[in-house]
Amino acid sequence: MPGFIDAHGHLGGIGLQAVIANLLADPDGDVTDLASLKDKLRSWAAGPVGADSDWIIGFGYDDAMLAERRHPTRDDLDEVSTDRPVLAIHQSFHLGAVNSIGLKRLGYSAATPDPEGGVIRRRELAVPPSYGEPGGVLEEKAFTPASDLALAGLPERELLMLFATGAAKAASFGFTTVQEGGTTLANLKALRDTAAAVLLPVDVVAYVKADEATASTLDDPIGVSDEYVDGVRAAGVKLVLDGSPQGRTAWLTEPYLTPPPGQPEDYCGYPAVPDDAVVAKQIATAVERDWQVLAHVNGDAAIDQFLKAVEAAGPGRRPTVAIHAQTARKDQVDVFARLEILPSFFSMHTYYWGDWYRETVLGKKRAESISPARWALDKGLRYTSHHDAPVALPNSIAVLSSQVTRRTRSGHVLGPDQRVSALDAVRAITVNAAHQYGEQDRKGSIEVGKLADLVVLSANPLTVDPEQIRDIKVIETIKAGTTVHPPAPTDQASGTPSTAPTPQWGCSC
């Protein structure tokens, strides 16, 4: 088949996922409760990477899958260590929990107010000047400083190889083009330096955080181009306008079915950028400078904010993309079509959190229409589907299966009317994704004159029983005519330049 194209993910995060403690639940890990979570963190701390790391770090726990059905607290993580800071990152990468020494490193105390666009969850609520003693769980912009600090403390040898590690992992799942979605200007330079020194097995399309890029006094601090240099090109900017539905921080127009602890019954989440004028200015600046715009919008209130800003900015030359669009309403899909906005759905939500959405987050009715691919097709939209790694493994086959079956962990078919054909599912990660990147003239289909980006599968997803798509294996990945998976021994990365800047990692998923 045509090589798979990653419509949205975080290349550095894929590499990160491979080097820190795996706190994922089945089928991607084996954490089932807080005890097993703590065991994973302790084991990693004593291992070859963890022993040299400033913080003890793990990624991927899901409170919906833990036996206790709650986040770890500072007290839980104090049982891992009282001498070193500990960070357990939620699978959404929008929340995390730290131990007591971690809170101290961050300067979070009862006297610390919540930052705009974030929440420091408290043991008990109080009134200023005391806001309540932090309980360890941090949301959104209260969580970001913890992830930045912790991940910057990883051994330098690991940080310098994260892009190469992530690229090899993505190639193993059949991807020939991947994304570094929402990076900093410093990390973009690190990516380019890595690619100049190490032959990456896949093409990488990068997007810089919109607030940083638009604040620059340079006309084009990103270096946007349609052409690849050493397998890397920068395409535009990424905005993050809200949080995570599964973490209950996404911004909705109607209340969550069950609010998080300490929140009122009418809690609807909150915006990441409360000022509409700021959002409008960032998008207008990007369009004016011919930068492609990607926007993380999970909740329908965030989508409303995004649509208003896009309409005000007017059309650009490059496709504008609504990333995730989990709770897009039917009327919003109509506006996507009118404004020629491409939705890129994180369709694996139907599997990973479909049951959680029905029971806790949205309720049965709203949960049925998450990732509304059928509505998009009915409007003639070339929607794409993505894995958003490291939130999930960059598993191309799971992306295909989730669109076609929409089965949850329990086996429930979530929103059968939103299912699509296997052919449409394949298009979402091949030719449609090429169109999203403006590369349909060279990628996305097997045609004379296009790149020989190919993937060999164990079975044809267009002809097997839909329920058997999930069992298909990636046999071989071919990039521009050269096999990159399985890798030949001589293709192993030899290192990155010692002058490469040390990146800071994080994603917004």
Side-chain angles (χ1 to χ4, degrees):
M1 307 197 80
F4 296 139
I5 299 174
D6 165 24
H8 178 65
H10 307 269
L11 177 62
I14 300 173
L16 176 69
Q17 191 177 54
V19 301
I20 62 178
N22 180 359
L23 306 182
L24 293 166
D26 182 73
D28 304 320
D30 55 8
V31 168
T32 57
D33 54 17
L34 289 171
S36 56
L37 179 148
K38 288 181 278 190
D39 284 343
K40 290 285 186 181
L41 290 168
R42 291 189 193 101
S43 296
W44 183 84
V49 178
D52 292 336
S53 174
D54 183 24
W55 286 59
I56 300 170
I57 318 167
F59 167 78
Y61 83 86
D62 182 0
D63 52 314
M65 294 301 295
L66 296 176
E68 295 84 356
R69 303 280 277 193
R70 66 171 177 82
H71 295 268
T73 65
R74 64 189 294 178
D75 299 319
D76 295 316
L77 298 182
D78 282 346
E79 294 178 22
V80 175
S81 179
T82 55
D83 300 320
R84 296 169 64 186
V86 180
L87 172 64
I89 302 172
H90 187 263
Q91 191 172 357
S92 68
F93 223 116
H94 281 253
L95 304 92
V98 297
N99 64 348
S100 296
I101 193 172
L103 289 168
K104 186 175 181 180
R105 287 273 192 100
L106 291 163
Y108 289 171
S109 69
T112 308
D114 291 343
E116 183 176 78
V119 172
I120 301 170
R121 292 194 186 177
R122 316 285 174 164
R123 282 177 163 163
E124 56 185 27
L125 298 179
V127 294
S130 174
Y131 296 91
E133 192 66 28
V137 179
L138 309 172
E139 298 179 7
E140 303 297 340
K141 291 183 180 176
F143 158 72
T144 303
S147 63
D148 288 347
L149 189 61
L151 300 177
L154 283 167
E156 186 177 18
R157 65 180 185 275
E158 301 297 338
L159 288 172
L160 293 175
M161 288 303 296
L162 287 185
F163 289 125
T165 301
K169 187 73 171 178
S172 75
F173 284 101
F175 287 100
T176 52
T177 300
V178 302
Q179 185 180 119
E180 174 65 358
T183 190
T184 63
L185 288 171
N187 276 7
L188 177 59
K189 183 180 185 304
L191 170 60
R192 285 171 166 152
D193 288 347
T194 299
V198 180
L199 180 62
L200 298 178
V202 296
D203 283 341
V204 185
V205 188
Y207 296 82
V208 172
K209 293 180 178 180
D211 54 353
E212 182 179 1
T214 56
S216 173
T217 57
L218 300 175
D219 288 339
D220 187 7
I222 307 171
V224 166
S225 173
D226 292 324
E227 302 303 321
Y228 289 88
V229 176
D230 298 320
V232 175
R233 78 175 181 93
V237 294
K238 163 93 176 291
L239 291 84
V240 177
L241 300 186
D242 72 338
S244 152
Q246 65 270 37
R248 288 176 289 179
T249 59
W251 186 24
L252 305 175
T253 57
E254 296 181 19
Y256 282 87
L257 178 65
T258 305
Q263 296 292 350
E265 290 298 315
D266 62 353
Y267 171 79
C268 294
Y270 47 89
V273 186
D275 190 340
D276 289 353
V278 171
V279 176
K281 183 177 180 181
Q282 289 181 1
I283 292 177
T285 299
V287 171
E288 180 183 337
R289 296 183 180 180
D290 195 28
W291 298 342
Q292 186 176 24
V293 174
L294 274 59
H296 165 117
V297 282
N298 264 316
D300 62 332
I303 297 172
D304 282 337
Q305 183 187 48
F306 176 55
L307 293 177
K308 180 180 177 183
V310 171
E311 185 147 31
R317 183 173 71 89
R318 305 174 190 274
T320 298
V321 185
I323 298 293
H324 308 327
Q326 279 299 309
T327 61
R329 306 185 306 265
K330 195 168 188 178
D331 65 290
Q332 291 176 324
V333 176
D334 292 344
V335 180
F336 288 164
R338 178 169 62 82
L339 297 179
E340 298 184 336
I341 293 172
L342 296 180
S344 184
F345 299 121
F346 188 176
S347 59
M348 283 194 286
H349 269 244
T350 54
Y351 173 78
Y352 283 106
W353 296 287
D355 295 322
W356 180 241
Y357 282 169
R358 294 175 73 233
E359 299 163 7
T360 303
V361 178
L362 298 174
K364 293 180 180 180
K365 182 177 180 181
R366 281 188 290 172
E368 293 286 303
S369 60
I370 66 166
S371 296
R374 174 52 58 186
W375 288 346
L377 285 176
D378 289 346
K379 284 295 176 179
L381 289 166
R382 296 176 177 175
Y383 84 90
T384 62
S385 186
H386 58 263
H387 51 68
D388 201 25
V391 174
L393 293 177
N395 188 336
S396 56
I397 304 305
V399 175
L400 294 176
S401 176
S402 63
Q403 297 176 69
V404 177
T405 70
R406 290 181 66 95
R407 286 205 180 273
T408 68
R409 290 179 185 269
S410 70
H412 175 77
V413 177
L414 186 69
D417 292 344
Q418 295 293 353
R419 290 179 294 188
V420 301
S421 70
L423 179 58
D424 284 318
V426 169
R427 284 173 173 153
I429 61 171
T430 54
V431 67
N432 288 4
H435 173 76
Q436 177 183 301
Y437 287 130
E439 298 184 29
Q440 63 271 21
D441 61 331
R442 47 187 154 161
K443 296 178 180 176
S445 58
I446 303 174
E447 297 180 66
V448 173
K450 290 192 175 183
L451 287 169
D453 289 356
L454 307 166
V455 60
V456 180
L457 304 178
S458 63
N460 186 349
L462 306 185
T463 58
V464 301
D465 185 291
E467 298 294 343
Q468 295 177 349
I469 291 175
R470 64 184 180 182
D471 300 321
I472 293 174
K473 306 298 181 186
V474 172
I475 304 300
E476 184 178 6
T477 306
I478 301 166
K479 174 63 187 157
T482 299
T483 295
V484 293
H485 175 79
T490 54
D491 290 340
Q492 297 299 313
S494 59
T496 55
S498 60
T499 55
T502 300
Q504 291 182 324
W505 298 103
C507 69
S508 205
C509 316

